[in-house]
Amino acid sequence: MDNPGSHHRAGEDIAARSERRWAIIASSLVALLIIVMIFIGLHWAGQPPSRVETVNPATLHLSGEFAENNLGSSVQPDGSVLVRVVAQVYSFTPQCILVPDRTPITFRATSADVIHGFLVYDTNINSMLEPGFISTFRFRFKEPGEHLMPCHEFCGPGHEGMWAHVKVVDRDEYRKLVALGRGNSCVQR
Ligand code: CUA
């Protein structure tokens, strides 16, 4: 016997099932989007803020731009100065960076082991040095002076004692030191 009430109930069941199915699909999509957002957020949090230039920290000292004799400051063909710095537990190389005033300076720095901080007092240079990545900053010192350069990321028990100096000299004096072969650092030799 055909019963209109059971037809009605079957129709309701189908509607309820289809509603549930679409609710599951819609909420899985929302959940998927949230997972993707969390993943992207964490992934970006693990990257340096602006640069994605990479370098192999294990072979840093052997060859390439961060080999020991390339560290410190050097005059570029356009007259600007390039400074390369390597951080390692618990020091910077070189320990004293010599640069001229009134000259565009590019710093390129990286870490040979763990995350260190790179901060030059009285400037806006403030970044992390991460193994595997090259941090780059540009700066122009207005006048001669000494700037402390402490590590400001906790890198281990020797962190407190990890710091270097940036020594800014008059650009003419700097040129003389370069001519004497003493332009790349102010470490006493
Ligand atoms: Cu290096 Cu703290």
Side-chain angles (χ1 to χ4, degrees):
M1 274 282 280
D2 209 18
N3 181 343
S6 77
H7 267 295
H8 185 68
R9 242 173 289 127
E12 260 181 3
D13 278 353
I14 291 168
R17 240 179 289 139
S18 141
E19 216 168 83
R20 221 176 302 129
R21 195 162 49 228
W22 283 107
I24 289 169
I25 291 172
S27 40
S28 332
L29 275 177
V30 171
L32 179 71
L33 286 175
I34 291 173
I35 289 168
V36 168
M37 271 161 59
I38 291 171
F39 176 79
I40 291 175
L42 289 176
H43 177 73
W44 277 98
Q47 303 286 316
S50 55
R51 307 287 300 201
V52 282
E53 245 186 291
T54 57
V55 65
N56 181 355
T59 57
L60 216 52
H61 56 295
L62 298 177
S63 63
E65 72 162 298
F66 290 100
E68 191 159 3
N69 52 357
N70 284 331
L71 300 179
S73 58
S74 56
V75 182
Q76 299 303 290
D78 65 358
S80 70
V81 165
L82 177 63
V83 177
R84 292 193 184 91
V85 182
V86 169
Q88 60 263 305
V89 284
Y90 296 101
S91 65
F92 292 96
T93 311
Q95 276 292 105
C96 183
I97 299 164
L98 185 71
V99 292
D101 67 355
R102 296 169 291 152
T103 306
I105 294 163
T106 302
F107 289 88
R108 284 171 66 77
T110 188
S111 165
D113 39 46
V114 298
I115 294 180
H116 296 282
F118 189 87
L119 178 145
V120 181
Y121 274 22
D122 310 316
T123 73
N124 60 1
I125 298 171
N126 182 343
S127 177
M128 286 200 295
L129 302 184
E130 295 181 57
F133 296 96
I134 300 171
S135 305
T136 305
F137 339 87
R138 284 172 220 288
F139 197 75
R140 192 185 174 97
F141 291 91
K142 286 198 187 87
E143 53 195 9
E146 289 250 356
H147 301 260
L148 262 186
M149 193 184 114
C151 173
H152 65 79
E153 290 286 338
F154 183 76
C155 50
H159 163 72
E160 299 293 319
M162 182 170 173
W163 50 271
H165 274 106
V166 175
K167 188 177 178 187
V168 186
V169 296
D170 182 87
R171 62 183 177 191
D172 298 325
E173 190 189 335
Y174 179 79
R175 243 175 250 136
K176 278 179 213 154
L177 289 167
V178 168
L180 292 170
R182 285 166 46 211
N184 68 325
S185 88
C186 38
V187 175
Q188 299 295 323
R189 275 177 291 183

